[in-house]
Amino acid sequence: MKYLSVTKGFKTRLNYLFLIFILFSNSLAAQLKWDGEASDGQWNSAANWVGDVVPAPGDNVQLDNSFVAVDYTVTLPGGSLAITVKTISISPDNGRHIELVLPPSNVATVPAFAATGPGYGITINNGGIFSNRSGNTSGNAVLVADSIQINNGGQYTHNTRASHATLVSLLSKSPGTETGIFKFDVPGGSYTFSSANRFYGILMFNSEASGGTQTYNAIAASPLNINGDLVINTGVTVNLDITNNVIIKRDYIQNGGVFNIASQPNNNTTFIKGNLIQSSGSITESSTGLPVMELNGVNIQQVNISGGIINSVNFRINNPAGISLLSDISLPFKLALVNGIVHTNLFKVNLLSTCSLIADSASNNSFINGRLRKEGLNGSFHFLFPVGKGIVQRWLELKNATGSYTVEFFKSNPQLLSNVVGTGVDHISSLEYWSVEADAANATANIELSFDNVNSGGVTDLSSLRVAQLLSVVWQDAGNTGTTGVVGIGSVISDVARFIAPNTNTYFTLSSNAALQNPLPVRDFLFSAQKTNEAVQLIWKTDNALLPVWFELQASSDGIHFSTIANIKAIKDGFDYQYRDSRLVVSMQWYRLQVIGISETFYSNIISVKGNDKTFSRIIPSVIHGNALLQLNSSHNANLRIIINDIIGRNIAGFQYKISAGLNSIPLRLSDLPAGSYLLSAREGSYCLASIQFVKL
């Protein structure tokens, strides 16, 4: 390493000042700083220190960039030499790195490096590294009398088979140390790390020093506390024989290897309060215990599992803020939905044939918002799919089903799929439907659909309520073999439904065989739209029984996310209404009415209008790792407001942008955006020109 040196004259003046400092500081220990003038990086070279004095046992040592403006490494002596100081602080300037190395050539049987002072004997600040590579295989190679502090961005690397238990028992857990790294990279065979009632910042396990494969074991009856991240890197196996809890207060990051959370018959729990990111490797147990991995953060947690979870690991969701999937997740043993919505985004939750499910069908606080798959049903009397959308669970249950099925709930108008009804169906819901996908052709099952008075639009008569199945663009009567609950809240069970084509969505919704029962919500008024030139003419007509106070006219560019574009006051004794929407109409525009009445409020059916085929929007690339481009085609010049919201609707970013008629490429600075699922909206005033969901990896 190249070192900066000071001139001889300047060094002489420094020596003089240093001696003056010693003479007038009898009550203070000396503070020695590194100047690197010897240019050999050796601790025991006197010329490397200001004052040309090698640190003594009573000295406070500071390795910083006061006299050396570049990164550098300081190597402690080898052989059996032992170094003792009062304190040492490794404090690089911002963006710099300074490393203190205890070399493998040092085989001292007493501590090769000791800090005897009170307070923080060893302080490692941001950019500082203390690499303990001692050749001693027993005892303590590094010892502090009081405590060691690894501040955020600092790192201690245990690169030796010497003991570390005494050191970590004195490891500071004060605020500001959460991202200080304690890294194990131990040579040789398996190694037991200290875990009983220990507090780490970032706890990292590596295997390079042992040739790419290493096993770390822990045996404890007390909690293991990780105030930062737990990081398991390639080639590492971590075996926990812990009868208490493991608490990870930030992220679980696995880049390979195996995390065995119960290597003995223990029913311990590993709590994760941050994100769960697994690029490869596996999470497992290898004994007869039934351990739990629980996500219990307070903010929404990201889950990206590209490796796997195997054996009898109970996976539990207990976070009221919810979970956001960045990958499919397959579970082998048990999924417990205690609290918090699982947002699957573009992915799915897959329960293997050996996996059971614990869920509360009456809770709107815990369900799967997206696709849920269950494999290997074997004529099961019933299996509950706790699915929903937004903040409402709308479960579906399969009865007497064999095979594998994927279920999703849609808070949307099934009449957009088809408005044709078959014999025995008077009308179907205009609010909601479910998709069920069977792996096998000609699979059969009874379908049980839940209903909720507020969210389903009104169930008034259980006997006339029906399950409807969409077959060949016709909503067919799938029957009513039984109901649960009461008018308003409950469920209805179909006859045996058949899935003709494998791996194809089959749709089901609520319906009624009586015109005057189960509104769902059907009202006797016309709502239609017609495009004229650059405007859309909207027309609706109420009936005599409806007593509206006003109407909210809502529009959407994707048929899912609606915003109000107009409020129209109801006319006394008036039944005919119309509104001209002169805003720019994109490729397809959806409309609905929220009718606010004296005694009830409900939505109309959703209608759509085809717009300018040349108008489109997209984000490129399709898989986003850094920044991206929003491509937007417009028929006119406009001032846009670009808004990015996270999965639970919080505003993450926003900016203004002027577009011209034609194709526009708008830069999106997404590199600092955390991994997750987001919704981008491009708005001109109150009008949403584009609404695009994307995932940042």
Side-chain angles (χ1 to χ4, degrees), residues 285-297:
E285 58 79 32
S286 60
S287 186
T288 58
L290 300 176
V292 177
M293 176 168 278
E294 178 174 309
L295 301 183
N296 70 332

Side-chain angles (χ1 to χ4, degrees), residues 28 136 231 352 364 435 470:
L28 299 174
N136 186 9
V231 182
L352 301 179
N364 286 326
S435 71
L470 185 62

Side-chain angles (χ1 to χ4, degrees), residues 125-292:
N125 290 310
N126 184 28
I129 304 171
F130 189 163
S131 294
N132 180 1
R133 303 174 188 168
S134 168
N136 186 9
T137 58
S138 63
N140 295 295
V142 176
L143 190 66
V144 291
D146 193 323
S147 54
I148 173 174
Q149 185 175 48
I150 308 173
N151 288 320
N152 292 344
Q155 178 176 312
Y156 171 87
T157 300
H158 197 72
N159 199 193
T160 172
R161 296 196 65 80
S163 175
H164 65 282
T166 302
L167 195 64
V168 297
S169 69
L170 303 173
L171 192 61
S172 172
K173 54 181 180 288
S174 62
T177 62
E178 297 87 353
T179 58
I181 301 171
F182 199 103
K183 176 180 175 182
F184 285 99
D185 191 7
V186 178
S190 63
Y191 185 85
T192 299
F193 71 97
S194 183
S195 61
N197 205 28
R198 298 304 190 218
F199 287 82
Y200 291 90
I202 292 177
L203 177 58
M204 182 181 296
F205 294 98
N206 279 45
S207 63
E208 285 86 349
S210 58
T213 303
Q214 181 58 289
T215 298
Y216 296 94
N217 303 306
I219 304 173
S222 302
L224 167 60
N225 301 277
I226 304 170
N227 290 336
D229 304 333
L230 172 61
V231 182
I232 299 174
N233 286 319
T234 303
V236 169
T237 296
V238 177
N239 293 318
L240 299 184
D241 177 11
I242 295 180
T243 57
N244 212 298
N245 297 328
V246 178
I247 300 99
I248 305 169
K249 292 188 178 179
R250 291 172 69 94
D251 295 346
Y252 173 88
I253 302 170
Q254 185 175 5
N255 298 313
V258 176
F259 184 38
N260 187 347
I261 63 177
S263 61
Q264 297 297 320
N266 301 323
N267 299 330
N268 56 302
T269 299
T270 298
F271 294 97
I272 301 174
K273 296 186 178 296
N275 300 322
L276 195 166
I277 307 297
Q278 182 198 65
S279 59
S280 63
S282 64
I283 298 168
T284 187
E285 58 79 32
S286 60
S287 186
T288 58
L290 300 176
V292 177

Side-chain angles (χ1 to χ4, degrees), residues 49 91 173 214 242 256 274 282 286 379 421 437 441 505 527 588 628 638 650 677:
W49 300 96
S91 305
K173 54 181 180 288
Q214 181 58 289
I242 295 180
S282 64
S286 60
V421 298
E437 177 185 330
N505 286 329
F527 180 44
M588 187 70 74
R650 294 175 300 189
S677 180

Side-chain angles (χ1 to χ4, degrees), residues 40 66 97 137 177 183 222 226 406 423 427 461 510 537 553 556 586 622 694:
D40 60 3
S66 297
H97 293 87
T137 58
T177 62
K183 176 180 175 182
S222 302
I226 304 170
T406 302
T423 303
H427 58 271
D461 179 61
L510 297 169
Q537 194 73 21
L553 179 60
S556 170
V586 295
S622 57
F694 68 91

Side-chain angles (χ1 to χ4, degrees), residues 319-337:
N319 177 1
I323 308 300
S324 178
L325 294 189
L326 302 182
S327 69
D328 290 347
I329 178 171
S330 292
L331 300 174
F333 178 64
K334 185 180 292 183
L335 170 63
L337 300 176

Side-chain angles (χ1 to χ4, degrees), residues 195-488:
S195 61
N197 205 28
R198 298 304 190 218
F199 287 82
Y200 291 90
I202 292 177
L203 177 58
M204 182 181 296
F205 294 98
N206 279 45
S207 63
E208 285 86 349
S210 58
T213 303
Q214 181 58 289
T215 298
Y216 296 94
N217 303 306
I219 304 173
S222 302
L224 167 60
N225 301 277
I226 304 170
N227 290 336
D229 304 333
L230 172 61
V231 182
I232 299 174
N233 286 319
T234 303
V236 169
T237 296
V238 177
N239 293 318
L240 299 184
D241 177 11
I242 295 180
T243 57
N244 212 298
N245 297 328
V246 178
I247 300 99
I248 305 169
K249 292 188 178 179
R250 291 172 69 94
D251 295 346
Y252 173 88
I253 302 170
Q254 185 175 5
N255 298 313
V258 176
F259 184 38
N260 187 347
I261 63 177
S263 61
Q264 297 297 320
N266 301 323
N267 299 330
N268 56 302
T269 299
T270 298
F271 294 97
I272 301 174
K273 296 186 178 296
N275 300 322
L276 195 166
I277 307 297
Q278 182 198 65
S279 59
S280 63
S282 64
I283 298 168
T284 187
E285 58 79 32
S286 60
S287 186
T288 58
L290 300 176
V292 177
M293 176 168 278
E294 178 174 309
L295 301 183
N296 70 332
V298 295
N299 299 311
I300 194 164
Q301 292 175 266
Q302 316 276 354
V303 176
N304 188 340
I305 296 184
S306 299
I309 299 175
I310 58 177
N311 295 329
S312 300
V313 175
N314 183 349
F315 195 74
R316 191 158 66 200
I317 306 298
N318 189 15
N319 177 1
I323 308 300
S324 178
L325 294 189
L326 302 182
S327 69
D328 290 347
I329 178 171
S330 292
L331 300 174
F333 178 64
K334 185 180 292 183
L335 170 63
L337 300 176
V338 177
N339 195 7
I341 299 171
V342 179
H343 304 278
T344 66
N345 304 311
L346 305 176
F347 308 102
K348 69 175 179 291
V349 176
N350 185 34
L351 308 182
L352 301 179
S353 59
T354 53
C355 187
S356 62
L357 174 68
I358 298 175
D360 181 0
S361 63
S363 173
N364 286 326
N365 298 321
S366 186
F367 59 87
I368 306 296
N369 177 12
R371 292 190 295 161
L372 174 60
R373 174 179 166 84
K374 178 65 176 96
E375 295 185 358
L377 292 177
N378 187 18
S380 303
F381 175 66
H382 62 82
F383 190 87
L384 176 73
F385 289 80
V387 292
K389 274 291 183 294
I391 58 173
V392 177
Q393 179 179 174
R394 302 295 287 109
W395 58 267
L396 177 149
E397 191 165 275
L398 292 181
K399 296 180 180 296
N400 308 310
T402 298
S404 302
Y405 296 83
T406 302
V407 173
E408 184 173 7
F409 170 74
F410 295 89
K411 188 64 176 176
S412 188
N413 186 1
Q415 297 173 23
L416 295 176
L417 302 176
S418 173
N419 59 5
V420 180
V421 298
T423 303
V425 177
D426 180 82
H427 58 271
I428 65 170
S429 170
S430 62
L431 290 178
E432 58 192 6
Y433 61 93
W434 292 257
S435 71
V436 182
E437 177 185 330
D439 282 12
N442 296 313
T444 60
N446 296 93
I447 310 296
E448 183 174 1
L449 302 182
S450 61
F451 58 83
D452 180 279
N453 189 51
V454 175
N455 298 291
S456 298
V459 171
T460 58
D461 179 61
L462 298 181
S463 64
S464 60
L465 188 65
R466 294 289 185 271
V467 174
Q469 179 179 3
L470 185 62
L471 294 171
S472 301
V473 303
V474 177
W475 287 103
Q476 303 283 5
D477 181 4
N480 175 345
T481 63
T483 59
T484 68
V486 295
V487 168

